[in-house]
Amino acid sequence: MKFKHIYLAAGILTLLYSCKGNTQPADDAGDGGAAQTPVTVTTVADSAMVDYIDLSATSVFQQKNIVKANANGYIQKVNILPGHFVNRGEFLFSIKTKEAQSIGNSINVLDTTFKFSGINKIKAAGNGYVTQLNHQQGDYVQDGEQLAVISDRSSFVFVMQLPYELRSYLKNNQDVQLTLPGGEKLTAQVSSTMPAVDSLSQTQGIVLKVNSTNPIPENLVARARIIKSVRPHTVSLPKSAILSNETQTEFWVMKLINPTTAVKTPVTKGIEAGNRIEILTPKFSPGDKIVATGNYGLADTAKVKITE
């Protein structure tokens, strides 16, 4: 009876050990026990991409008319204020000569037909905005002294500072897009180039003419976009799919060769625009699956699990 219990216990232990040896975790079945990294995948797309550079452009009035006194005397009337727009021939100042101020109406009393006033009127030589006013009514001024500055509206331009090494791109940019603070966009035309470069920044001034219905103040800094190249149809991938080394001299993607295996595939980058990067080599087919997220730190021939 004692031996019967011993044999029964031995049989139970043998059965349990046999079941344990044949048990394998469901998650590791079929992959040799390697852990799978959850990833999402993407495919290449046919995109239109533009390579450009943004530069600064400042608004200026290239020509300014200096309004000067035409006699020694006292300003009798001022007909303008800073910021006013004046037209050619518009009355600006009146000056009473110091001789007329001293004599008064004595001459007219002696000879009523003489009609001497001694007052000179100064008119605008062109259209523009009053950007500077130097004197007010009652001031004594001398002949040739500056009274005001009028910025010629027709000379309003933006001057873009272009690095000299990029001058070859101007031939492809007869029209330049300007973005003003606040988001307003204008189309400007390349008018001329300055004959000198800045000695420190080595940039050359490019004159851009604009047509705007709204007045634009001077010294406003806008963003000018210079197009370097255009790709109407090219293969691209999301930026997240591109990996690189620490020095960013080598680039690669993780390409799926089957539903659970991703291999390291070196690539050559082209244009970067927005969140996409042009792929020059190799030539991927539309059906190739590339790991988009979860690819950081993956080794070559890594085990992956595709998630939605």
Side-chain angles (χ1 to χ4, degrees):
M1 191 69 179
K2 181 179 180 181
F3 290 103
K4 183 177 180 180
H5 289 292
I6 293 175
Y7 290 137
L8 180 60
I12 294 174
L13 291 175
T14 302
L15 180 61
L16 292 175
Y17 180 79
S18 176
C19 292
K20 181 179 180 180
N22 292 331
T23 302
Q24 184 178 15
D27 292 341
D28 294 339
D31 63 356
Q36 293 178 314
T37 303
V39 297
T40 62
V41 297
T42 187
T43 57
V44 294
D46 184 11
S47 308
M49 304 187 72
V50 180
D51 187 17
Y52 59 84
I53 182 172
D54 286 337
L55 302 171
S56 295
T58 305
S59 61
V60 296
F61 290 98
Q62 289 186 301
Q63 184 176 351
K64 297 184 178 182
N65 298 320
I66 308 299
V67 181
K68 295 183 179 181
N70 56 6
N72 296 332
Y74 297 88
I75 297 178
Q76 294 291 105
K77 187 175 182 180
V78 179
N79 198 42
I80 56 175
L81 289 172
H84 279 189
F85 178 80
V86 297
N87 295 301
R88 181 183 180 89
E90 185 175 337
F91 169 68
L92 304 179
F93 296 93
S94 63
I95 297 178
K96 189 173 186 179
T97 63
K98 65 177 183 179
E99 293 81 7
Q101 183 76 9
S102 300
I103 297 174
N105 292 326
S106 300
I107 296 179
N108 291 330
V109 171
L110 296 175
D111 186 357
T112 58
T113 62
F114 195 67
K115 297 181 180 181
F116 174 75
S117 66
I119 295 177
N120 296 331
K121 292 184 178 181
I122 300 176
K123 298 181 179 181
N127 302 327
Y129 296 94
V130 179
T131 53
Q132 190 174 338
L133 184 61
N134 301 92
H135 289 283
Q136 59 185 351
Q137 185 174 344
D139 287 355
Y140 176 79
V141 295
Q142 296 183 351
D143 186 14
E145 187 173 345
Q146 178 176 308
L147 303 180
V149 176
I150 299 176
S151 298
D152 190 347
R153 182 176 63 177
S154 63
S155 69
F156 180 81
V157 296
F158 277 86
V159 178
M160 175 181 66
Q161 298 303 322
L162 179 74
Y164 188 72
E165 64 271 16
L166 300 179
R167 67 192 185 281
S168 60
Y169 294 114
L170 271 187
K171 61 183 179 182
N172 298 327
N173 292 270
Q174 296 306 312
D175 290 339
V176 177
Q177 185 186 77
L178 294 178
T179 303
L180 306 184
E184 181 183 356
K185 297 183 184 298
L186 299 175
T187 299
Q189 293 78 39
V190 175
S191 175
S192 60
T193 59
M194 295 297 182
V197 298
D198 185 87
S199 59
L200 296 178
S201 62
Q202 289 296 290
T203 56
Q204 186 176 18
I206 308 299
V207 179
L208 305 175
K209 293 283 290 184
V210 295
N211 294 319
S212 176
T213 56
N214 299 322
I216 301 175
E218 191 175 20
N219 297 322
L220 182 69
V221 178
R223 187 175 71 251
R225 177 160 294 181
I226 296 296
I227 297 175
K228 300 174 69 175
S229 59
V230 179
R231 303 280 198 277
H233 297 284
T234 189
V235 174
S236 67
L237 282 170
K239 280 187 176 181
S240 60
I242 313 297
L243 301 171
S244 69
N245 58 4
E246 293 182 355
T247 57
Q248 294 191 350
T249 55
E250 297 178 0
F251 302 91
W252 65 89
V253 298
M254 300 301 295
K255 176 184 174 183
L256 268 66
I257 57 174
N258 61 50
T260 60
T261 306
V263 296
K264 180 179 178 180
T265 305
V267 297
T268 303
K269 296 197 313 176
I271 295 174
E272 296 188 28
N275 64 342
R276 300 195 70 84
I277 298 177
E278 179 187 21
I279 304 299
L280 300 178
T281 59
K283 299 297 183 182
F284 292 112
S285 65
D288 289 337
K289 293 183 178 181
I290 310 297
V291 178
T293 61
N295 52 1
Y296 183 77
L298 286 182
D300 193 7
T301 318
K303 293 297 181 181
V304 298
K305 181 180 180 181
I306 300 174
T307 61
E308 294 297 332

